[in-house]
Amino acid sequence: MKLPSLLEAKKRTNNKINIVPEGYVLNENYKNLGLGKTYYVKTYGCQMNEHDSENIKAILETMGYKEASEFEKADLILLNTCAIRENAHNKVFGMVGRIKHLKESRPEVMAGICGCMAQEESVVEEIMTKYKFLDIVFGTHNINNLPNIIATSMAKKSLEVEVDSIEGEVYENIPVKRDSKYKAWVNIMYGCDKFCTYCIVPYTRGKQRSREPKYIIDEVKELVNDGYLEVTLLGQNVNAYGKDLNINYTMANLLEDVAKTGIKRLRFVTSHPWDFNDEMIDVIAKYDNIMPYIHLPLQSGSSRILKLMGRRYTKEEYLELFNKLKTRIENVSITTDIIVGFPGETLEDFNETLDVVNACKYDSAFTFVFSPRIGTPACKMKDDVSIEEKNQRLYKLNDLVNKYALEANQKYLGKTVKVLVEGYSGKDESMLMGYTETMKLVNVKADPKNIGKIINVKITDVKTWSMDGEIVD
Ligand code: 5AD
Ligand code: SF4
C-alpha cells in the first residue's frame, strides 16, 4: 500500500531526474498472468491521459491480456481518470456503480482506478471506505509497475493501492498500443511547475520532467517509418520544454528537429502564453509541416483575475502575443480555454473576458465554470458569486464563442483544404471524417479507400463545430 499525499506532491526539489533507457521490464512471473483474459480501459480527461491509456493497454498485452470490445465482457476494467473538475469525479463514480453491479454477477472481474483522481487523498480514502470491492488503485507515476500491482491484488484477493506522490524517473521505451495508425501522441515532458492557483495538475502529475531530445526524435522517426502522418507533441506546458534539462535546448529547437524528420503534420499541446517566445513563432512559421494551429489558453480576460490565478501575464500581454501569432503565422487558427466564475470574479472582470473574445474571435474555445479543487490555493479563496450567476456567465460566453466559431468556419466555404482522413464519420456512416491543417473537423463525401490519406477537400457547408465537403483532385 502506498497512499497519495497532496502535501508531498506539492514539493519541488532540484534533484536531477534520472532517465531510465530500458524503462519497462516485465517480470517473467507475470508473463502469463493475463493469458486467456481480456481488459477494458476507459479514459477520461486530456490527451495526456489518452496516451497513458495507450501505454497501459500495451503493458497489459505484455502480460497476455487482450482488449475486450465491451466493458461488460472484460475480465479487467480500468478507469483512467481526470481530476481537473468536479464533474469528471462524478462520472467516474457513476461508472464504479456499474462495476459493482457487474461484479455481483461476475465476481471474478477485477477493476481499478488510475490516473489523476488516484493522486487525490480524498478519492483514495473514499475508495478505501465505500468502494472496497475495487481491486487496484495506481497513480500517474506507477504505470510502469502495473503488472506487479495486479499480481499483488490477485494474490491478496483484496484492494491494492500504489500511488506515489513524488515523481520518479523518466522511463523510456514504455510499450505503447496506439489507437490510430495515422496519428500519434508523443510525450515530450511530464508534469508541470506553473502552479496556476486553480489547477490540480502540478499535484497529480508532479514536477516538470522533459524527455531527452534524442528519445523524442527517434520515436518520431520510427513513427514516420511506420507510415504515421501526424504527430502531436504532448505536455502540460510544452513551451517550457527543456528548461529542466539544463542543456540549452528549447521547444523551438525541438520543434525544428522534429519537423526535419519529415513527419507530414506536426502539432503540439498545450501552450502557456508565458513561455511562447519569438524563436518558437519563427520555427512554426518556417516549416510547412508544423501545422498552423495553436491552442493558447486565456483563462480570463481580466488582468486582476489573471493575477489571482497566478497566470503571469496581463490581458494586454496576452493580446500582444495573440496578434503576433496571427500576423506572423499564415492562416493560423487559434483556440483557447476560459474559466468563468473564478473566486471574486466581478461582472466587470467577466466583461473583460468578453472583450478579449471579441478582440480575438477565436476559432473555438473550451469554456468551464470554476471548480474548486482540494489542495489548490484557489479552493480557499473567498467566492461570493452564486452558481446561478456563474452559469449565466457561461451561457453568455458560449453564445459569443459559438458566434465566432461559426464565423471562422464560414471563411472556409468554397475553399479547398487538406484533410487527413481518419475513418468513418460518427454522424453519418456514408461519410468519412478527418481534420484540416487548422484542426477543423470535416465530414467528407469520399471513397473509404481514402482513409489514412491526406486528401484535398472542397468545403460545401459549414456549421459551428464542423464542416462538410467533398473530395477533389
Ligand atoms: N476549474 C475549472 N476549469 C479548470 N481548468 C483547470 N482547472 C480548472 C478548475 N479548477 C480548465 C483550464 C485548463 C483546462 C484544461 O481546464 O481552462 O486550461
Ligand atoms: Fe485531467 Fe489534468 Fe490529469 Fe489531464 S493532467 S487527466 S486534464 S487532471
Side-chain angles (χ1 to χ4, degrees):
M1 284 276 166
K2 272 193 212 162
L3 302 180
S5 153
L6 285 175
L7 216 60
E8 282 292 306
K10 197 172 167 180
K11 288 185 186 154
R12 290 295 184 267
T13 64
N14 284 328
N15 299 348
K16 195 175 175 315
I17 298 287
N18 248 347
I19 310 256
V20 188
E22 288 309 320
Y24 175 77
V25 184
L26 178 67
N27 179 324
E28 283 291 313
N29 297 336
Y30 307 146
K31 232 178 181 161
N32 297 324
L33 218 55
L35 265 191
K37 294 187 183 138
T38 59
Y39 69 85
Y40 187 88
V41 180
K42 185 159 175 60
T43 313
Y44 302 81
C46 64
Q47 294 98 331
M48 191 74 66
N49 249 24
E50 296 279 352
H51 188 45
D52 281 351
S53 288
E54 293 183 335
N55 292 135
I56 290 170
K57 288 177 184 182
I59 289 177
L60 292 174
E61 298 201 356
T62 65
M63 300 170 69
Y65 283 98
K66 295 255 174 319
E67 188 157 13
S69 52
E70 292 162 52
F71 120 98
E72 281 90 353
K73 292 191 180 144
D75 302 298
L76 170 65
I77 300 167
L78 294 179
L79 308 182
N80 190 9
T81 62
C82 170
I84 206 126
R85 284 172 293 272
E86 185 64 26
N87 58 358
H89 176 278
N90 299 344
K91 274 192 218 156
V92 167
F93 281 105
M95 195 66 182
V96 170
R98 285 179 64 192
I99 291 173
K100 184 176 185 202
H101 192 67
L102 186 68
K103 275 186 162 242
E104 280 160 12
S105 55
R106 292 181 55 214
E108 74 285 3
V109 170
M110 285 187 83
I113 304 253
C114 58
C116 288
M117 270 171 62
Q119 299 293 138
E120 295 182 291
E121 285 155 23
S122 56
V123 169
V124 175
E125 271 162 31
E126 199 174 345
I127 293 172
M128 289 173 70
T129 48
K130 285 205 243 160
Y131 307 101
K132 276 191 279 204
F133 57 84
L134 290 172
D135 302 275
I136 59 174
V137 173
F138 61 101
T140 57
H141 309 305
N142 305 86
I143 294 176
N144 241 22
N145 202 28
L146 178 56
N148 195 15
I149 301 166
I150 294 177
T152 309
S153 168
M154 279 179 173
K156 286 197 324 191
K157 294 197 171 25
S158 66
L159 173 63
E160 175 63 8
V161 180
E162 185 176 313
V163 183
D164 276 317
S165 296
I166 300 283
E167 64 289 334
E169 285 98 352
V170 166
Y171 296 108
E172 290 301 338
N173 298 308
I174 306 176
V176 56
K177 185 186 182 199
R178 299 196 185 271
D179 288 340
S180 162
K181 291 199 292 258
Y182 321 116
K183 48 183 214 177
W185 312 111
V186 172
N187 269 130
I188 63 168
M189 63 202 297
Y190 305 95
C192 177
D193 289 341
K194 278 285 180 287
F195 285 100
C196 300
T197 58
Y198 50 81
C199 188
I200 193 76
V201 174
Y203 308 80
T204 62
R205 296 268 172 184
K207 171 175 152 157
Q208 171 173 327
R209 288 102 67 212
S210 298
R211 286 178 73 196
E212 281 184 4
K214 65 169 188 288
Y215 291 109
I216 299 167
I217 295 160
D218 283 351
E219 186 174 341
V220 177
K221 280 184 183 160
E222 212 177 303
L223 288 164
V224 173
N225 273 338
D226 291 346
Y228 278 83
L229 298 172
E230 183 172 307
V231 158
T232 303
L233 304 179
L234 281 184
Q236 294 302 340
N237 173 21
V238 291
N239 313 12
Y241 171 79
K243 290 190 176 178
D244 51 312
L245 289 174
N246 296 322
I247 54 169
N248 207 8
Y249 187 91
T250 64
M251 183 59 179
N253 300 131
L254 181 71
L255 271 179
E256 181 147 31
D257 285 341
V258 176
K260 283 182 186 159
T261 63
I263 186 76
K264 286 267 184 309
R265 291 178 158 202
L266 179 57
R267 303 186 189 277
F268 55 94
V269 279
T270 287
S271 298
H272 186 299
W274 169 263
D275 296 298
F276 217 122
N277 58 24
D278 283 355
E279 289 76 35
M280 258 185 81
I281 301 176
D282 289 343
V283 173
I284 298 167
K286 181 171 158 194
Y287 287 88
D288 284 346
N289 59 344
I290 304 181
M291 295 295 99
Y293 165 70
I294 292 164
H295 186 64
L296 193 71
L298 166 70
Q299 311 302 4
S300 168
S302 150
S303 298
R304 190 183 78 82
I305 294 293
L306 285 169
K307 190 143 194 242
L308 289 173
M309 288 177 161
R311 290 291 288 175
R312 310 180 198 199
Y313 55 84
T314 60
K315 171 187 185 177
E316 289 72 25
E317 284 163 344
Y318 181 94
L319 286 171
E320 196 187 320
L321 173 64
F322 183 95
N323 290 329
K324 210 185 314 178
L325 291 169
K326 278 276 178 193
T327 44
R328 303 250 298 263
I329 305 170
E330 207 185 322
N331 188 34
V332 71
S333 96
I334 303 182
T335 58
T336 199
D337 289 342
I338 300 170
I339 298 175
V340 301
F342 186 82
E345 183 190 71
T346 62
L347 210 49
E348 290 83 72
D349 292 318
F350 173 64
N351 283 334
E352 286 201 67
T353 297
L354 298 181
D355 287 348
V356 176
V357 173
N358 279 318
C360 295
K361 304 181 171 53
Y362 293 105
D363 282 81
S364 131
F366 299 97
T367 57
F368 314 100
V369 170
F370 168 73
S371 173
R373 310 314 295 141
I374 296 170
T376 62
C379 191
K380 296 192 206 95
M381 291 180 189
K382 191 165 173 282
D383 187 2
D384 46 18
V385 182
S386 71
I387 187 66
E388 290 76 25
E389 171 63 24
K390 290 184 183 197
N391 283 332
Q392 285 307 320
R393 290 181 194 173
L394 184 73
Y395 298 144
K396 193 161 177 191
L397 174 64
N398 284 346
D399 280 347
L400 197 62
V401 162
N402 293 349
K403 182 182 106 163
Y404 288 123
L406 182 62
E407 271 183 34
N409 284 354
Q410 275 161 347
K411 294 196 185 120
Y412 285 72
L413 251 185
K415 292 217 169 109
T416 299
V417 289
K418 291 203 180 314
V419 174
L420 165 51
V421 183
E422 293 180 19
Y424 292 95
S425 161
K427 289 222 171 91
D428 178 352
E429 281 280 307
S430 70
M431 308 262 280
L432 306 178
M433 59 73 66
Y435 287 88
T436 64
E437 298 194 328
T438 51
M439 205 63 175
K440 305 277 181 189
L441 172 61
V442 185
N443 294 307
V444 194
K445 238 187 231 136
D447 192 291
K449 71 171 196 270
N450 290 294
I451 293 174
K453 293 191 180 138
I454 295 173
I455 60 170
N456 288 322
V457 174
K458 188 170 177 203
I459 301 301
T460 51
D461 191 17
V462 297
K463 297 157 198 157
T464 306
W465 304 115
S466 68
M467 310 176 183
D468 292 339
E470 52 200 27
I471 185 166
V472 290
D473 291 332

